[in-house]
Amino acid sequence: MTPRAALRDPKQDRSRATRQRLLEAAVACLAEHGWARSTVAVVAERAGVSRGAAQHHFPTREDLFTAAVQHVAEERSAALRALLSHERREWGPEPGGPGRVAEVIEALVDLYTGPLFRAALQLWVVASYEEQLGARVAALEARIGRETHRMAVEALGADEGVPGVRESVQGFLDMARGLGLANLLTDDRARRDRVVAQWARILDDVLRAPG
């Protein structure tokens, strides 16, 4: 056993694990039930802990969901990095090649229509009228937006020095967010696939156009 392992406190480990379960449960509840029905009691039950244990970590509902904002942001960033890292291994080191643009676009749309983005949308709605959450959500979304744009440009091999490229990539990301919002109401995958295919053709033409 290493000195560091010997010094680890089992109580601290359990505390961190409980906190993590609560944050994951809060995100899941937001995605599935929305803000109004995501009470501390509901989150605690889903996490498999007592309400008292939940309030030990997060004394108020606002404390819990403020922490959930940060958790969602970190999870979305990690998911984006992992997905694009995996896809780069599949595609190879060069950004060009048949079907590359379509694959990048499909991968990003999958993130925007997944459960983490559903939870983020719930937080956006709450942040629009909950002052305590508003500033933090806005700041985190700005950071994630910049990171997503940068990684999309890298994955696509886009040259933003070419007129129109930056706007085309950002337009696609805005469209992907719109698809995520529409997905809250209905999973119209057939329509979404047609829209994604069209955007792939548009971006492919823009990226291949001479500078």
Side-chain angles (χ1 to χ4, degrees), residues 29-40:
C29 287
L30 279 173
E32 294 175 16
H33 307 307
W35 171 260
R37 290 188 291 163
S38 295
T39 63
V40 173

Side-chain angles (χ1 to χ4, degrees), residues 43 55 110-111 175-176 205:
V43 172
Q55 290 179 319
D110 283 346
L111 283 181
M175 181 275 298
D205 288 344

Side-chain angles (χ1 to χ4, degrees), residues 168-179:
S168 295
V169 172
Q170 189 58 52
F172 155 67
L173 293 173
D174 290 343
M175 181 275 298
R177 277 192 289 269
L179 290 177

Side-chain angles (χ1 to χ4, degrees), residues 3-199:
R4 177 174 291 183
L7 293 172
R8 289 179 64 178
D9 186 340
K11 288 185 178 180
Q12 290 183 351
D13 288 344
R14 288 196 297 272
S15 178
R16 282 191 291 267
T18 298
R19 190 177 193 278
Q20 181 72 11
R21 288 204 307 274
L22 284 165
L23 291 175
E24 291 172 355
V27 171
C29 287
L30 279 173
E32 294 175 16
H33 307 307
W35 171 260
R37 290 188 291 163
S38 295
T39 63
V40 173
V42 168
V43 172
E45 182 178 2
R46 186 178 186 113
V49 304
S50 68
R51 181 169 180 170
Q55 290 179 319
H56 170 74
H57 289 276
F58 305 103
T60 69
R61 189 185 190 210
E62 288 72 24
D63 291 333
L64 172 60
F65 286 101
T66 297
V69 170
Q70 180 69 45
H71 180 70
V72 168
E74 291 170 355
E75 289 291 299
R76 286 171 64 200
S77 293
L80 177 64
R81 289 192 296 270
L83 184 145
L84 292 182
S85 175
H86 169 76
E87 296 299 341
R88 275 195 292 269
R89 290 195 298 271
E90 294 293 315
W91 297 324
E94 295 300 322
R100 173 68 175 266
V101 171
E103 289 174 337
V104 173
I105 285 178
E106 289 169 7
L108 287 166
V109 168
D110 283 346
L111 283 181
Y112 278 112
T113 54
L116 281 173
F117 188 70
R118 289 174 67 91
L121 285 174
Q122 296 289 346
L123 288 170
W124 290 3
V125 173
V126 176
S128 69
Y129 58 83
E130 288 284 340
E131 184 176 348
Q132 189 170 0
L133 293 177
R136 177 166 292 193
V137 170
L140 289 171
E141 284 301 324
R143 177 176 64 78
I144 292 173
R146 290 191 297 269
E147 182 176 6
T148 302
H149 184 99
R150 177 183 59 77
M151 295 184 74
V153 166
E154 180 184 342
L156 290 164
D159 180 0
E160 292 194 297
V162 176
V165 168
R166 178 177 179 80
E167 292 77 11
S168 295
V169 172
Q170 189 58 52
F172 155 67
L173 293 173
D174 290 343
M175 181 275 298
R177 277 192 289 269
L179 290 177
L181 178 60
N183 199 55
L184 285 176
L185 300 176
T186 178
D187 184 7
D188 187 359
R189 185 171 296 276
R191 180 187 63 82
R192 186 166 72 238
D193 288 346
R194 291 194 298 271
V195 171
V196 169
Q198 179 62 21
W199 261 101

